[in-house]
Amino acid sequence: MGQANLTADMAREHIMGVGRDDVVFAPIRHHSPTCSWMLEKMFDEFKPEVIMVEAPNDFEALIPLIQDAETVCPVAILASTGDKLDHKQSHFYPFSETSPEWHAIRLAGERGVDISFIDAPSGFWHKGEVQTNVRNLQDEAWFSSADYIVEACNELGLRDGNALWDHLFETEIGESDWQGYFAKVYAYCWALRASTPQSQLEEEGNLEREAHMRGHIEADKRRKLVLTGGFHTPALLEGKMLLPNKKKFANSQFYLVRYGEAALNQLSGYGAGLRYPNWYARLYKAAVQADARPNWREILFDCLIEFKKECTQTGLRISTIELRELIETAEGLARLRGRNEVFLSEIFDAVQTTLIKGSVSNDHPAFEKLRKTFSGHAIGNVPRKAGLPPLVDDARQRSARARMRTDTSELQKRKLDVRRNEGHHAHSQFFHQMQILGVGYANCLAGPDFVTGYRSEILFEEWEIRWSPHIEGQLVDLSFRGERIPQVAVSMLCTQLDALEAAGNGNDIGAIFNIVLRALQAGLGAQISPILNKLHSALTITRDVTAIVEICSRLQLVDSYDEKQNIALSGLVQVAFDRYIALVTEIKKLSDPEEVRIVVRQMGRMDGVLRGPHGENFRLDLYEEAIERCLKSTLPPFLRSALSAVMVRAGRLPVETISQLLVVNISGKDISGSQQAALEGLILVAPEFLWVHSEILDAANDVIAMLDDESFIAILPEFRRAFAQLDPHQTHRLAEKISQKLSVNVQNVVSGSRLWSEQDTMLALKMEHRLNQTLLQDQLLDWISNA
Amino acid sequence: MSDQSVIRKSAEEVYHYELEALRVADKYLTPPGWKLSPKMVRQFILGDKKLKIIPKFVGDPALVDRAIVSLLGRQGLMLVGEPGTAKSMISELLTAAITGHTNWVIQGSAGIIEDHLRYGWNYAMLLNSGPMEEAMVPTPILNAMRKGEIVRIEEITRCAAEVQDVLISIMSEKQIAVPELGENVVYRAKPGFNIIATANLRDRGVHEMSSALKRRFNFETVHPIADLETEKALISSQLESRLSDQDIETRAPDKVISLLAEVFQELRNSRTKDGTPIASLNAVMSTAEAVNIAHAACLEAHYFSDGKADGSQIAKQIFGVVIKDNPDDKEHFRNYIDHIVRERGQSSQEWQQFYKAAREILRGAS
């Protein structure tokens, strides 16, 4: 690696081991079909005793499974590394139909040759920071980003590093000169490596890994074929060596799992290997079938026919003429770029220019279909003896019971009658549990939401379900929480509770209750006693009357459809209500009028809850006794009126009580509060009394009529404030009642005086404003105020 | 005939030496009717260091590839995009490279009738001598067909839909019959004939074009320049070219061009360079408009000021671009000035000049 330049002969020499006859090097790009093709030619000619593959050394235990006849690509080795429960990280080592590693392992098995994994153990990849994306152990980001790649693309008129790779290397599939081929790949990768700073190589761990690989190579004296990512090959010829297993790495558990073409494609977005596995698989199959260079036009034609079918399914029709035009355009573009072979970039370009009429964007349906065609969506298979991480197995079985497929990554939809069908209810609970796990398996599109209280009356839930290997990976990560889905879901909810505590919100009954509701929706009510206990203790000390009333209101909704989880709920309702009663009885001690107003408003709301379904769960007698005790003490008219309204509604006081309170208060005889206070207290708790009990309205009307004009005008703003507490419907009801009583048109009552039009009002306001401005300028404002 | 005193020279005149150099160096297969091979046409537009060909199009090179391949085939080429995205420029360059001249062009408008697309008559001769070939006035399309050359139709969607549809049979049959001259008189297109049309997405768009006509064209969308540095470089080079032609020495400093390019990018993308969303404008903020503003700013500085173009001249010129049809744009622009530009003005002289002048104009426009 110390040379300034590398000639073609030198490249050949290097891959042939630089004069050694016991080793050859196969520099590859992961998932390259031509590398796989040439590897077989190399194997047949070199006849190694062992094939050494760039894969974590500890994965060797899975070789028999990979070689098993039942194992079908795409599959992956899924590793979960780390010791601490909350620092687990997951990594994939995928195999596709065109992976040279896959071919090497299978070839070794078929020909009775040993196979050895020579990279650092999988725990090497465990990093200290929190993992935000799953890590692909076949990172090849440099194939697209190196400066000389960009220059080469510009020179050759190619779009990016992938197009360049195709142009230079995938066009040789079907040829037989493996030495020439791998020498060219080596030279390409040598140049990539030469343009990478040493510090970056060290930082990314490449130097240490390569030392491991060299250690393995030198320790094994047999005739060996060394297959590694091309970027590493130049470093394997010389340099420092590390003997295997001398260093301790993070623990790792790994499994061979089914993988998917769609996931392979996505994972390649993290800078590894070639995207669109289905396209490359076709290329490889065509070459194998021909046992020579494939018929490129036939491959193109087959792909476009499949693309056409995909499009037809969604109403995007492609005519035969358009298909012909597509093929001609793709081939024309390839020729313009200096070759006959049509690759992906030509196909995408041809689709864009031929099929999309109008402005183009990357999310056009035609592109989406094309990407789908070339990505594929098949999922591989592993033998039963591969076993599954227990949690994954549990998730699979539950999915099967819910009639959801796990052998495809296609989107599936399900509608569940959660109230009337017990089976559906169970499936719903499973889906909710998976939602709690946050693995992206289930998405509820519509249905009753007990967490927010939204649409709690509707019957059906609609779900979108999708299985993918990434979900399996995430389930493996969560395995430390338990082996069954419900168990893990409960654990996740407990973690959410701990997070509230850590954030100083450990007594936020609203937030805790939301966690409880999620658990209830997921059928976990019987398993969340720690959370219920926490809610219980938080309720006993809370001063948040709004949250208490909210909880009581929501508990009714849950209660009404899932009786099996009632066990803990009835106790909870009582605790909440007891605390509510305590806060109501303390209302007279409150000094802040706004706080008092809040409690009274909640009393009105609570009355609605007490009169609603399952009102019998509440100990009304205790409540009424508590209010009775309050009424025995001296209270301002606002409170007295509000509490009396509750008692009148409960039948414990006669209606006249309210009438008398209003008369005394409005007439001004009770100077302990403002003259609208009793009215406002009544409106906040029981506004309907004004139109239901005519004696109350009559009493109010009579006492107001007796006021002189001056007094009336003085209290008018306060009356307006009191009536502003009514909603428009209530306002209209009251207006109707008043209009009947006074034999006037209700419109006149509602819309106000006809003497003043809206324009008059605006004019008056403007005049007032200008007058104020003038008084201010003349410094007469104080004089007017004091007069 | 080249005339040194014209306002605007044709592409084949401006780039005469480049085209000649490419013809000499061209060792690739040339399609029938073409003056250059497809590869050389590509290099003419995208540039070639060895042959000293300057890059003329700043954008996705794959667009040029697709355009060239489309013109090789049976389909026409339709370039669509926002105003000012260089559609006409690309169309002219392609034509200059492929055909060697850009004479065959039809400007779309509501006044275009069928006769402008197929053929017309010299009525004096027609009346005098009856229908004969000499009395026929061939259209650019007919001329291009007879010679196997490229014809351009600018702003095709401004023509009435029924008139556009005349092109359907021309594109399918590749012939024009002239029954007035005899029942068997048909002019068939020679190899090399094709049509490049352009359409503006802002006006009556391509959605009004008949599907039958759309099917006969390959479409390419020309997007505005996404990269700030690229746009800046383009504005600078275009400005330089214009001012040199007019022998004007005033130039806009680099910081002023940067300001202009940044303002255009941000208003076009409805997002500041650090990602803050801003209200989007209805006005088209194309690079062509930016060049016009830079040019006008320099002219103003040259004739009405001290010869130094700065942020204030940019502000004065930009107003006419931003505030056109939609009154909401004025308020959105005001918010942009008050929140984004004002802050930048605290640390930059050019932005400060821009801000003050813009505020003055907005105040006057209230």
Side-chain angles (χ1 to χ4, degrees):
Chain A
M1 265 302 292
Q3 302 98 326
N5 295 306
L6 185 80
T7 63
D9 287 338
M10 283 159 75
R12 265 185 197 252
E13 227 180 84
H14 283 200
I15 62 148
M16 296 309 291
V18 198
R20 291 167 66 169
D21 61 1
D22 67 329
V23 64
V24 285
F25 291 91
I28 55 116
R29 186 166 181 186
H30 300 297
H31 309 293
S32 160
T34 310
C35 288
S36 296
W37 171 270
M38 293 296 182
L39 172 73
E40 196 163 339
K41 304 281 174 245
M42 184 190 224
F43 181 93
D44 285 340
E45 204 172 305
F46 185 70
K47 295 181 177 40
E49 292 170 285
V50 59
I51 304 180
M52 296 186 149
V53 174
E54 178 206 329
N57 181 243
D58 47 345
F59 288 174
E60 275 187 2
L62 294 176
I63 290 174
L65 280 174
I66 298 169
Q67 290 177 334
D68 192 293
E70 281 182 47
T71 304
V72 175
C73 267
V75 293
I77 298 175
L78 172 56
S80 178
T81 61
D83 301 306
K84 285 189 186 169
L85 294 183
D86 49 354
H87 284 123
K88 288 278 194 178
Q89 294 176 359
S90 59
H91 318 269
F92 275 92
Y93 188 99
F95 296 101
S96 65
E97 277 185 71
T98 56
S99 291
E101 297 89 335
W102 166 260
H103 284 276
I105 295 168
R106 300 286 278 209
L107 208 53
E110 284 160 19
R111 311 285 175 91
V113 165
D114 265 352
I115 188 114
S116 159
F117 290 172
I118 61 172
D119 204 342
S122 51
F124 172 87
W125 274 267
H126 188 84
K127 304 286 179 219
E129 72 271 8
V130 172
Q131 188 183 34
T132 51
N133 279 320
V134 67
R135 188 172 290 120
N136 186 334
L137 297 181
Q138 298 168 342
D139 189 13
E140 288 183 326
W142 45 75
F143 272 104
S144 296
S145 56
D147 284 345
Y148 102 82
I149 300 278
V150 174
E151 285 270 345
C153 288
N154 288 339
E155 186 66 34
L156 295 170
L158 298 168
R159 186 178 259 115
D160 55 27
N162 288 331
L164 181 64
W165 173 269
D166 283 347
H167 181 83
L168 295 175
F169 299 111
E170 298 303 339
T171 44
E172 295 204 23
I173 194 166
E175 302 289 357
S176 54
D177 178 16
W178 58 268
Q179 279 195 35
Y181 178 79
F182 280 127
K184 280 198 285 199
V185 175
Y186 178 84
Y188 186 83
C189 295
W190 183 94
L192 276 177
R193 195 178 173 100
S195 60
T196 307
Q198 194 74 358
S199 56
Q200 188 181 337
L201 291 173
E202 189 146 0
E203 214 174 275
E204 289 169 355
N206 288 301
L207 299 182
E208 197 177 339
R209 286 174 59 205
E210 285 150 6
H212 273 274
M213 291 188 229
R214 271 197 302 279
H216 281 283
I217 293 168
E218 295 311 321
D220 194 322
K221 302 301 175 194
R222 293 176 290 175
R223 190 170 169 79
K224 41 200 174 272
L225 188 162
V226 180
L227 183 125
T228 62
F231 190 82
H232 299 296
T233 311
L236 302 181
L237 293 164
E238 58 181 14
K240 204 170 76 168
M241 281 188 286
L242 270 179
L243 289 173
N245 300 323
K246 285 290 174 192
K247 190 174 170 181
K248 187 152 173 20
F249 298 105
N251 280 339
S252 175
Q253 292 165 288
F254 42 86
Y255 309 86
L256 186 68
V257 296
R258 298 188 307 170
Y259 208 58
E261 284 179 329
L264 252 180
N265 189 55
Q266 197 180 1
L267 204 61
S268 297
Y270 296 130
L274 299 165
R275 297 188 72 184
Y276 302 116
N278 189 258
W279 159 259
Y280 291 102
R282 281 172 195 271
L283 200 58
Y284 184 77
K285 276 180 197 152
V288 165
Q289 242 173 15
D291 196 23
R293 287 182 64 74
N295 184 326
W296 292 90
R297 180 169 251 224
E298 219 171 85
I299 296 172
L300 173 65
F301 192 71
D302 288 344
C303 270
L304 291 178
I305 291 289
E306 193 178 318
F307 166 63
K308 183 174 175 321
K309 279 186 196 152
E310 278 276 355
C311 289
T312 309
Q313 281 168 13
T314 52
L316 189 69
R317 297 196 186 284
I318 302 173
S319 67
T320 310
I321 293 175
E322 281 170 325
L323 199 61
R324 184 195 67 191
E325 187 61 35
L326 255 176
I327 294 171
E328 285 178 6
T329 304
E331 289 179 338
L333 284 166
R335 279 194 298 273
L336 185 64
R337 289 162 187 168
R339 61 183 139 83
N340 291 320
E341 300 84 358
V342 171
F343 272 93
L344 287 169
S345 53
E346 284 83 50
I347 299 174
F348 274 93
D349 280 340
V351 165
Q352 177 174 332
T353 201
T354 314
L355 293 186
I356 300 175
K357 307 295 181 189
S359 181
V360 74
S361 64
N362 211 28
D363 56 359
H364 192 279
F367 285 139
E368 194 236 301
K369 290 292 159 211
L370 201 57
R371 282 190 282 263
K372 203 172 161 187
T373 304
F374 291 139
S375 303
H377 42 74
I379 296 186
N381 188 56
V382 296
R384 289 180 77 85
K385 60 188 173 204
L388 279 174
L391 189 63
V392 176
D393 191 35
D394 189 48
R396 283 254 182 90
Q397 286 187 34
R398 288 174 192 268
S399 292
R401 285 201 289 273
R403 291 191 285 134
M404 293 288 110
R405 292 174 61 188
T406 54
D407 59 347
T408 177
S409 55
E410 295 264 21
L411 191 67
Q412 303 166 73
K413 294 194 184 225
R414 196 73 205 275
K415 196 168 177 175
L416 299 173
D417 185 353
V418 293
R419 291 187 193 267
R420 297 177 298 186
N421 186 320
E422 239 187 78
H424 282 201
H425 187 205
H427 301 330
S428 163
Q429 289 178 341
F430 165 58
F431 293 158
H432 278 292
Q433 287 163 19
M434 291 297 278
Q435 265 199 322
I436 291 170
L437 264 58
V439 295
Y441 168 83
N443 180 31
C444 187
L445 298 175
D449 185 340
F450 296 111
V451 178
T452 63
Y454 181 60
R455 300 185 81 190
S456 51
E457 74 289 354
I458 67 175
L459 296 176
F460 291 91
E461 280 180 351
E462 288 177 38
W463 291 86
E464 272 181 352
I465 306 294
R466 192 197 296 268
W467 186 266
S468 79
H470 277 293
I471 289 173
E472 294 196 12
Q474 290 178 84
L475 289 172
V476 169
D477 263 352
L478 292 171
S479 294
F480 66 92
R481 294 181 180 270
E483 294 184 349
R484 291 175 55 253
I485 298 294
Q487 188 184 358
V488 172
V490 168
S491 169
M492 297 285 288
L493 291 173
C494 289
T495 302
Q496 286 176 24
L497 187 68
D498 292 340
L500 279 178
E501 194 78 54
N505 299 324
N507 291 320
D508 182 343
I509 56 170
I512 301 171
F513 187 61
N514 280 343
I515 296 175
V516 169
L517 283 180
R518 286 197 79 188
L520 294 174
Q521 217 164 6
L524 302 170
Q527 298 167 58
I528 53 164
S529 41
I531 302 174
L532 290 172
N533 289 342
K534 180 63 199 172
L535 182 58
H536 192 289
S537 63
L539 276 169
T540 55
I541 60 172
T542 188
R543 301 203 63 80
D544 189 349
V545 69
T546 307
I548 290 176
V549 172
E550 179 70 21
I551 286 171
C552 290
S553 168
R554 299 254 211 103
L555 276 172
Q556 284 185 297
L557 299 168
V558 176
D559 208 23
S560 67
Y561 105 94
D562 190 345
E563 291 172 4
K564 284 182 190 165
Q565 300 189 79
N566 272 357
I567 299 160
L569 294 183
S570 54
L572 208 60
V573 164
Q574 200 51 53
V575 171
F577 194 53
D578 284 347
R579 186 61 188 155
Y580 166 76
I581 294 172
L583 290 174
V584 165
T585 52
E586 287 173 10
I587 195 172
K588 57 183 185 288
K589 296 180 193 165
L590 295 175
S591 54
D592 181 356
E594 202 43 50
E595 265 189 72
V596 173
R597 189 169 266 106
I598 288 170
V599 176
V600 168
R601 200 187 302 274
Q602 293 306 319
M603 280 170 61
R605 209 174 148 212
M606 182 57 110
D607 245 24
V609 174
L610 297 174
R611 286 178 286 134
H614 302 287
E616 69 275 8
N617 287 340
F618 300 97
R619 291 284 308 274
L620 290 176
D621 53 335
L622 295 176
Y623 183 40
E624 287 157 14
E625 281 166 22
I627 293 182
E628 216 168 43
R629 284 195 297 276
C630 282
L631 282 169
K632 285 178 180 157
S633 50
T634 309
L635 294 172
F638 173 75
L639 263 183
R640 181 165 291 281
S641 171
L643 294 174
S644 301
V646 174
M647 297 301 273
V648 167
R649 197 184 255 143
R652 300 274 282 250
L653 283 175
V655 175
E656 296 84 66
T657 316
I658 303 296
S659 310
Q660 283 163 12
L661 282 171
L662 287 178
V663 168
V664 169
N665 182 226
I666 293 170
S667 65
K669 288 175 185 164
D670 179 354
I671 58 168
S672 62
S674 58
Q675 281 167 274
Q676 104 306 344
L679 179 65
E680 192 176 351
L682 171 68
I683 287 173
L684 281 179
V685 174
E688 74 279 6
F689 280 15
L690 290 170
W691 52 85
V692 168
H693 298 294
S694 52
E695 56 267 58
I696 293 177
L697 188 63
D698 288 343
N701 186 60
D702 291 343
V703 71
I704 289 169
M706 283 170 59
L707 293 172
D708 58 55
D709 288 352
E710 205 180 314
S711 307
F712 176 71
I713 290 168
I715 64 168
L716 197 56
E718 291 180 17
F719 269 120
R720 282 173 68 188
R721 198 179 70 167
F723 284 118
Q725 305 300 323
L726 294 171
D727 66 39
H729 179 68
Q730 291 167 337
T731 304
H732 197 81
R733 291 290 302 271
L734 181 59
E736 273 183 340
K737 201 72 186 173
I738 292 170
S739 66
Q740 278 169 18
K741 184 177 169 52
L742 301 177
S743 304
V744 298
N745 189 325
V746 66
Q747 277 306 115
N748 289 343
V749 177
V750 169
S751 56
S753 167
R754 292 284 185 215
L755 288 177
W756 288 92
S757 69
E758 197 174 308
Q759 288 85 348
D760 290 339
T761 310
M762 285 306 298
L763 188 59
L765 283 169
K766 279 184 183 167
M767 283 174 61
E768 185 192 1
H769 178 71
R770 283 181 66 183
L771 182 61
N772 277 335
Q773 294 284 90
T774 310
L775 288 172
L776 187 68
Q777 270 173 3
D778 295 343
Q779 296 177 4
L780 292 173
L781 210 55
D782 287 343
W783 175 71
I784 288 289
S785 312
N786 293 334
Chain B
M1 186 161 55
S2 168
D3 183 343
Q4 293 296 322
S5 62
V6 297
I7 291 174
R8 186 185 175 277
K9 292 181 184 170
S10 64
E12 63 269 24
E13 285 174 317
V14 172
Y15 301 112
H16 168 75
Y17 292 108
E18 287 190 9
L19 288 167
E20 201 46 50
L22 286 164
R23 260 189 276 281
V24 167
D26 196 351
K27 55 184 193 298
Y28 301 99
L29 210 58
T30 304
W34 285 38
K35 295 285 185 285
L36 290 173
S37 66
K39 207 162 172 73
M40 290 292 130
V41 171
R42 187 182 190 274
Q43 277 162 250
F44 173 62
I45 296 175
L46 295 175
D48 185 310
K49 285 181 188 157
K50 280 190 218 124
L51 294 173
K52 296 190 176 61
I53 310 295
I54 57 163
K56 297 165 193 67
F57 171 63
V58 178
D60 181 12
L63 183 150
V64 175
D65 291 350
R66 293 190 299 264
I68 292 170
V69 170
S70 295
L71 292 171
L72 282 168
R74 277 169 276 243
Q75 302 279 85
L77 175 65
M78 178 79 65
L79 297 169
V80 300
E82 296 272 330
T85 46
K87 300 183 293 298
S88 299
M89 184 196 78
I90 296 171
S91 132
E92 195 184 350
L93 290 171
L94 283 166
T95 308
I98 294 170
T99 293
H101 68 84
T102 54
N103 298 336
W104 309 137
V105 60
I106 299 170
Q107 180 60 48
S109 72
I112 293 288
I113 57 174
E114 241 187 75
D115 289 0
H116 296 132
L117 297 185
R118 288 147 54 85
Y119 53 88
W121 294 101
N122 177 330
Y123 289 99
M125 278 182 79
L126 184 67
L127 289 170
N128 191 44
S129 319
M132 53 190 217
E133 199 167 334
E134 289 77 12
M136 193 176 76
V137 178
T139 61
I141 291 179
L142 184 55
N143 279 327
M145 284 174 79
R146 283 155 86 174
K147 297 194 173 180
E149 293 177 344
I150 303 284
V151 58
R152 294 178 294 133
I153 306 178
E154 296 288 341
E155 306 288 356
I156 189 173
T157 47
R158 299 196 73 81
C159 307
E162 314 79 60
V163 173
Q164 292 176 39
D165 285 349
V166 164
L167 293 172
I168 294 174
S169 72
I170 291 176
M171 292 300 290
S172 300
E173 313 293 322
K174 298 285 194 287
Q175 67 184 33
I176 291 178
V178 187
E180 294 91 333
L181 297 179
E183 58 186 44
N184 294 323
V185 177
V186 174
Y187 293 102
R188 298 185 199 282
K190 285 194 173 153
F193 166 73
N194 213 325
I195 299 179
I196 304 177
T198 64
N200 185 335
L201 287 178
R202 280 277 177 144
D203 295 336
R204 285 161 49 200
V206 296
H207 57 271
E208 290 194 6
M209 197 183 284
S210 69
S211 338
L213 186 60
K214 280 189 202 176
R215 275 205 308 275
R216 277 139 181 101
F217 282 89
N218 283 350
F219 276 63
E220 282 302 326
T221 305
V222 187
H223 295 285
I225 299 173
D227 179 59
L228 180 66
E229 288 307 313
T230 307
E231 187 165 14
K232 210 178 107 180
L234 187 62
I235 295 171
S236 294
S237 68
Q238 293 280 312
L239 180 64
E240 176 64 35
S241 167
R242 288 193 193 186
L243 293 172
S244 300
D245 283 349
Q246 292 175 303
D247 290 328
I248 287 175
E249 287 172 7
T250 301
R251 293 291 183 272
D254 193 56
K255 285 184 178 175
V256 173
I257 301 290
S258 284
L259 178 154
L260 176 62
E262 261 182 61
V263 169
F264 262 70
Q265 285 249 330
E266 289 179 341
L267 292 177
R268 182 191 305 141
N269 298 329
S270 306
R271 198 169 282 276
T272 63
K273 61 185 177 191
D274 55 13
T276 308
I278 53 178
S280 56
L281 301 185
N282 286 290
V284 175
M285 307 295 292
S286 66
T287 309
E289 294 274 26
V291 173
N292 290 339
I293 286 170
H295 188 203
C298 289
L299 290 176
E300 190 195 322
H302 181 74
Y303 289 111
F304 295 103
S305 185
D306 55 4
K308 289 182 193 154
D310 61 26
S312 58
Q313 276 101 14
I314 300 291
K316 287 173 199 167
Q317 301 302 329
I318 210 171
F319 205 73
V321 170
V322 170
I323 318 296
K324 279 194 176 132
D325 307 313
N326 197 313
D328 290 341
D329 283 352
K330 192 165 105 183
E331 281 318 302
H332 295 149
F333 187 61
R334 189 194 302 275
N335 288 334
Y336 177 73
I337 297 296
D338 286 342
H339 296 116
I340 309 296
V341 177
R342 180 162 159 261
E343 199 181 312
R344 289 180 191 165
Q346 288 166 9
S347 53
S348 156
Q349 191 185 29
E350 291 73 26
W351 284 95
Q352 173 77 306
Q353 291 159 350
F354 182 77
Y355 172 67
K356 281 187 173 158
R359 285 292 301 156
E360 209 46 58
I361 296 167
L362 284 165
R363 205 172 288 131
S366 297

